[in-house]
C-alpha cells in the first residue's frame, strides 16, 4: 500500500529505529538502572487543579486561574488541588512557594488537596521515562548546545522550520553499543521523545475553544533535561494522569504545545488524555492602542501583593475576575445586585476566547459597588485589618451605610486616611464670616431633622445651602463630605466650635 508521506516527510526518519524488544529493554536499563516500574493508574474522578511555578510573588493571572478553577470544581462537584511546578530551577526564586501559598490564602482560595512539588517526584518521572525507552518511544540525545545551534542554522539557511527531526535527529538511531560508548566517555544526555506516527494532525475538543487541531509534532522534543528533570510537557502529562485530573484548565500560552502533550499521553498510556483541556484567554492591558500581556516589569498590579497593599477588598478582586471571565456575569450582577457570587453559574461556555483587558478604572468602579454593599461591621473589620484604627474614621465610614442608597465613594482602603484626614487634624481654612450666626447659636442635636429645622431658622438672609456649605468647608476644609450633621457629631461640639471660631 502506498503511504502518502513522501520526500518532504520521509518515512524512514519518522519510524522508530527497528531495535528488538531486547535491545530497547537493555537501553532502558542502561539509562535508568535505578528506576522502578511506573505506579498503576489511579481511579478516575472529577478534579481541577492549579499548577503555578514559584517564580516570584503570586501573579494576578495565576490568582484568576485559581479562583476560576475553584468555581468550576465546585460547579462540577469535584476537588481542586494545588501542585507546585518547580522543575525550572533557573526561574525559581527563594521563598517562591511560600509566596504563592500566602497569596492564595490572602485571597481566600481554598484547596482540597496539596499535590506537592514536582521536584519531589523525580522517581515517578524516571519510571515512566524508562518505560518509554523500553517501548521505543524515547531515546537519549548526546548533542551539545553547539551541535544543536549548528543544525538550527543549517535548517534556517534551507528555509526549514528548525527542530530535532528527520535527518537532523542524529541521535535517534543510536544503538546500544554507541550509547554505551558515549555514556562511558562521560557525555551528558537528555531524553527525547521519538515522534513515530506520520499522522497529519492532532485534534481535541477544547472546552473553551471547541474543536481544535494542530499539526502533528515532528520535533523530537526533550522530555528529560540533562539534569534528569522533566520540562513542563512530560511532568504535566505524567502528573495530571497520576493525580486523576479531569480538567486541565490553563492559559492559552500552552495551546501551541498541546499536540506534544497529547502525543506524549498516547505513547505513555496508549490512549487520548484522560482529561478535558480548556485554554483560557490571557489577560492583557492596553498600551498605545495595542494589547499586550500583563508584565511584571511594567505593571505594578501584576503581583497580587499590590492589591493587598492598596487595600482592595478580596471581594472586589473576585468580582472583577468574574466580570473578566464570564461574559454574562455583569448582566447577572445587575439582575441580582446583592446575591453572593457563589450563586452565579460560572460556565466554560461563557468564558470567551478574546483576551480580556485588565483596567484599573473598571476595577475601582466595581470595587466602589462592592464596598457600597458591605455592612458597617464588615467595613469596620476590613478597614481595621488594613491598619486604620482611628475611632473617628471608623465612625465616619458608617455614615450612609446599610441604606437604600449607600455611599459609593471608596474603591480601596488606602483612600480612606486622606479622605478623612480632617477628622484627625483640623484643616487649614480661610476666613468665612457667614458661619458666625451658626456658631453664636450653636446647639447639639441628636436628631437630624431637628438640626436641619434649626439651621433653616438661622437662614433669614442667606440660603440654607450656602450656610451648610460654609460650615462644611470651615470644619472639614472640603467641598464635599459625607453627611454634615454626622460629621459634626463625630468631631464633637468643642472641636466644631473651635474650628468655626478660627474662620471668623
Ligand atoms: N506551571 C504552568 C504555568 O504556571 C502550569 C500550566 C498548567 O496549568 O498546566 O503556567
Amino acid at each position: 500500500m502506498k503511504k502518502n508521506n513522501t520526500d518532504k516527510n520521509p518515512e524512514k526518519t519518522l519510524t522508530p529505529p527497528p531495535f528488538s524488544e531486547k535491545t530497547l529493554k537493555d537501553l532502558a536499563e542502561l539509562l535508568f538502572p535505578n528506576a522502578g516500574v511506573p505506579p498503576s493508574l489511579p481511579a478516575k474522578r472529577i478534579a481541577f487543579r492549579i499548577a503555578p511555578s514559584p517564580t516570584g510573588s503570586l501573579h494576578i493571572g495565576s490568582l484568576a486561574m485559581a479562583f476560576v478553577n475553584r468555581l468550576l470544581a465546585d460547579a462540577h462537584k469535584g476537588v481542586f488541588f494545588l501542585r507546585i511546578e518547580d522543575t525550572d530551577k533557573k526561574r525559581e526564586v527563594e521563598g517562591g512557594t511560600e509566596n504563592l501559598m500566602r497569596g492564595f490564602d490572602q485571597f481566600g482560595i481554598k484547596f482540597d488537596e496539596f499535590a506537592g512539588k514536582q521536584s519531589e517526584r523525580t522517581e515517578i518521572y524516571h519510571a515512566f521515562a524508562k518505560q518509554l525507552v523500553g517501548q521505543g518511544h524515547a531515546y537519549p540525545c548526546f548533542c551539545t548546545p553547539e551541535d544543536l545551534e549548528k543544525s538550527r542554522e543549517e535548517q534556517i539557511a534551507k528555509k526549514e522550520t528548525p527542530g530535532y527531526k528527520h535527518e537532523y535527529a542524529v541521535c535517534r538511531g543510536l544503538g546500544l553499543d554507541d550509547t554505551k560508548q558515549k555514556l562511558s566517555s562521560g557525555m551528558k544526555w537528555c531524553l527525547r521523545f521519538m515522534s513515530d506516527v506520520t499522522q497529519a494532525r492532532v485534534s481535541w475538543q477544547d472546552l473553551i475553544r471547541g474543536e481544535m487541531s494542530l499539526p502533528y509534532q515532528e520535533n523530537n522534543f526533550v522530555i528529560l533535561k540533562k539534569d534528569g528533570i522533566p520540562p513542563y510537557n512530560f511532568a504535566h502529562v505524567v502528573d495530571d494522569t497520576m493525580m486523576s485530573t479531569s480538567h486541565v484548565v490553563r492559559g492559552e500560552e500552552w495551546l501551541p504545545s498541546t499536540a506534544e502533550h497529547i502525543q506524549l499521553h498516547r505513547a505513555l498510556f496508549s490512549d487520548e488524555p484522560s482529561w478535558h483541556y480548556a485554554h483560557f484567554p490571557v489577560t492583557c492591558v492596553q498600551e498605545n492602542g495595542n494589547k499586550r500581556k500583563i508584565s511584571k516589569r511594567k505593571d505594578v498590579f501584576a503581583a497580587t501583593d499590590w492589591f493587598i497593599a492598596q487595600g482592595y477588598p478580596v471581594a472586589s478582586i473576585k468580582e472583577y475576575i468574574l466580570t473578566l471571565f464570564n461574559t454574562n456575569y455583569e448582566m447577572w450582577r445587575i439582575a441580582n445586585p446583592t446575591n453572593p457570587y457563589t450563586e452565579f453559574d460560572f460556565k466554560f461556555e461563557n468564558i470567551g476566547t478574546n483576551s480580556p483587558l485588565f483596567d484599573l478604572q473598571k476595577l475601582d468602579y466595581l470595587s466602589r459597588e462592592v464596598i457600597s454593599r458591605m455592612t458597617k461591621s464588615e467595613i469596620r473589620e476590613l478597614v481595621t485589618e488594613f491598619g486604620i484604627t482611628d475611632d473617628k474614621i471608623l465612625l465616619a465610614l458608617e455614615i450612609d451605610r446599610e441604606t437604600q442608597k449607600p455611599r459609593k465613594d471608596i474603591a480601596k482602603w488606602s483612600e480612606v486616611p486622606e479622605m478623612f484626614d480632617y477628622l484627625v487634624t483640623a484643616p487649614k481654612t480661610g476666613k468665612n464670616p457667614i458661619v458666625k450666626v451658626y456658631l453664636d447659636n450653636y446647639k447639639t442635636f441628636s436628631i437630624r431633622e431637628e438640626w436641619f429645622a434649626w439651621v433653616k431658622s438661622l437662614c433669614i438672609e442667606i440660603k440654607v445651602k450656602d450656610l451648610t456649605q460654609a460650615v462644611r468647608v470651615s470644619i472639614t476644609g472640603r467641598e464635599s463630605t459625607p453627611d454634615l450633621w454626622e460629621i459634626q457629631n463625630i468631631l464633637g461640639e468643642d472641636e466644631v466650635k473651635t474650628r468655626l471660631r478660627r474662620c471668623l
Side-chain angles (χ1 to χ4, degrees):
M1 209 216 285
K2 196 172 175 295
K3 296 258 172 82
N4 64 359
N5 49 340
T6 47
D7 301 336
K8 216 169 152 263
N9 218 358
E11 193 183 342
K12 65 180 189 312
T13 55
L14 282 172
T15 310
F19 293 138
S20 68
E21 267 182 38
K22 164 99 179 51
T23 306
L24 290 173
K25 201 167 164 288
D26 290 348
L27 198 57
E29 213 45 57
L30 184 66
L31 296 171
F32 299 99
N34 303 319
V37 288
S40 50
L41 296 185
K44 285 203 170 9
R45 60 174 183 167
I46 299 184
F48 289 70
R49 88 300 188 264
I50 176 94
S53 301
T55 54
S57 39
L58 179 64
H59 191 276
I60 179 69
S62 300
L63 173 67
M65 290 295 290
F67 176 49
V68 158
N69 265 286
R70 173 78 264 179
L71 291 178
L72 289 164
D74 292 343
H76 288 77
K77 304 208 179 350
V79 298
F80 175 47
F81 68 88
L82 170 67
R83 175 173 75 226
I84 302 291
E85 301 211 327
D86 61 341
T87 57
D88 190 347
K89 292 291 166 196
K90 279 196 268 346
R91 291 180 54 227
E92 186 166 346
V93 302
E94 217 189 302
T97 301
E98 292 69 30
N99 286 348
L100 293 175
M101 307 277 233
R102 184 174 45 83
F104 289 130
D105 193 50
Q106 278 173 331
F107 288 89
I109 307 288
K110 301 258 187 297
F111 299 101
D112 303 309
E113 295 168 10
F114 177 50
K117 299 178 173 193
Q118 287 182 327
S119 59
E120 289 158 3
R121 298 170 55 76
T122 313
E123 260 176 47
I124 294 179
Y125 304 130
H126 284 195
F128 279 107
K130 184 175 188 175
Q131 175 188 294
L132 282 182
V133 175
Q135 294 169 338
H137 289 308
Y139 63 93
C141 167
F142 295 91
C143 290
T144 61
E146 295 74 39
D147 296 334
L148 296 175
E149 186 48 34
K150 232 177 101 196
S151 152
R152 220 180 87 84
E153 282 166 10
E154 206 179 312
Q155 293 175 74
I156 290 173
K158 287 191 195 161
K159 303 212 174 345
E160 291 174 13
T161 314
Y164 203 82
K165 58 187 177 184
H166 307 306
E167 65 270 34
Y168 300 100
V170 289
C171 293
R172 191 175 158 111
L174 286 180
L176 194 57
D177 291 340
D178 286 339
T179 306
K180 269 189 191 156
Q181 188 252 318
K182 287 186 187 290
L183 287 178
S184 60
S185 70
M187 286 174 81
K188 293 265 177 275
W189 56 278
C190 68
L191 197 69
R192 287 187 182 271
F193 182 67
M194 182 109 60
S195 297
D196 61 353
V197 185
T198 54
Q199 193 177 304
R201 296 186 79 79
V202 176
S203 22
W204 76 95
Q205 194 66 31
D206 195 287
L207 292 179
I208 297 176
R209 283 149 209 274
E211 182 68 34
M212 295 293 293
S213 84
L214 284 170
Y216 187 84
Q217 178 59 273
E218 293 181 344
N219 183 29
N220 289 207
F221 50 86
V222 173
I223 57 175
L224 280 187
K225 294 177 282 185
K226 288 190 171 165
D227 56 7
I229 293 180
Y232 171 78
N233 56 17
F234 192 54
H236 148 52
V237 177
V238 168
D239 285 351
D240 283 314
T241 302
M242 297 316 293
M243 295 170 187
S244 276
T245 305
S246 61
H247 293 75
V248 171
V249 182
R250 63 183 180 184
E252 68 182 329
E253 64 271 27
W254 298 107
L255 258 182
S257 44
T258 305
E260 234 174 68
H261 306 152
I262 294 176
Q263 285 167 238
L264 253 175
H265 192 280
R266 289 176 185 164
L268 279 162
F269 306 107
S270 329
D271 205 353
E272 294 302 290
S274 40
W275 51 80
H276 299 285
Y277 276 114
H279 288 94
F280 247 73
V282 67
T283 312
C284 287
V285 288
Q286 191 92 32
E287 188 180 67
N288 309 326
N290 297 317
K291 275 185 175 182
R292 66 155 171 81
K293 273 168 64 172
I294 294 177
S295 133
K296 279 196 183 173
R297 226 168 10 90
K298 294 190 186 168
D299 306 308
V300 278
F301 56 85
T304 55
D305 290 339
W306 183 79
F307 297 95
I308 300 288
Q310 291 287 311
Y312 282 100
V314 166
S316 303
I317 306 294
K318 289 184 171 171
E319 187 78 1
Y320 190 36
I321 295 173
L322 284 161
T323 306
L324 287 177
F325 289 111
N326 243 189
T327 45
N328 56 334
Y329 185 74
E330 280 187 271
M331 292 304 287
W332 177 85
R333 177 51 81 208
I334 291 168
N336 305 278
T338 53
N339 296 37
Y341 72 80
T342 43
E343 287 176 16
F344 173 72
D345 198 5
F346 191 91
K347 284 197 174 129
F348 279 117
E349 298 92 281
N350 295 328
I351 290 175
T353 51
N354 283 343
S355 295
L357 278 180
F358 198 93
D359 172 7
L360 282 177
Q361 281 179 353
K362 178 77 188 268
L363 169 64
D364 281 1
Y365 164 78
L366 287 178
S367 191
R368 281 187 205 106
E369 297 285 324
V370 167
I371 292 177
S372 78
R373 293 194 289 266
M374 289 181 178
T375 62
K376 293 178 187 177
S377 66
E378 276 172 319
I379 293 192
R380 180 173 279 260
E381 192 182 322
L382 293 174
V383 169
T384 317
E385 231 170 67
F386 184 70
I388 297 172
T389 50
D390 185 276
D391 275 337
K392 292 197 177 90
I393 294 185
L394 294 174
L395 281 173
L397 284 168
E398 293 184 356
I399 304 173
D400 289 337
R401 298 273 165 217
E402 301 177 7
T403 62
Q404 281 300 70
K405 277 195 160 192
R407 279 162 59 199
K408 295 187 180 174
D409 51 352
I410 302 169
K412 47 188 189 284
W413 309 134
S414 55
E415 295 169 356
V416 170
E418 208 214 303
M419 187 178 280
F420 292 116
D421 54 2
Y422 57 82
L423 293 177
V424 185
T425 5
K428 287 201 176 60
T429 45
K431 297 291 172 206
N432 212 341
I434 307 180
V435 299
K436 186 168 188 313
V437 55
Y438 194 93
L439 178 63
D440 288 349
N441 297 285
Y442 197 91
K443 275 193 220 152
T444 298
F445 293 90
S446 58
I447 297 173
R448 181 195 276 109
E449 288 67 31
E450 287 178 7
W451 165 77
F452 196 60
W454 168 76
V455 178
K456 276 206 253 172
S457 74
L458 300 175
C459 296
I460 297 157
E461 277 168 25
I462 44 168
K463 289 192 186 131
V464 175
K465 207 171 81 214
D466 292 339
L467 179 58
T468 50
Q469 192 59 3
V471 172
R472 185 191 311 279
V473 172
S474 303
I475 65 173
T476 68
R478 302 283 163 104
E479 297 281 342
S480 93
T481 67
D483 186 83
L484 180 60
W485 172 73
E486 302 253 22
I487 293 290
Q488 284 189 125
N489 288 347
I490 293 172
L491 282 171
E493 182 170 341
D494 290 348
E495 182 64 21
V496 173
K497 283 185 177 163
T498 313
R499 292 185 183 190
L500 290 173
R501 214 168 281 129
R502 289 183 326 164
C503 295
L504 295 181

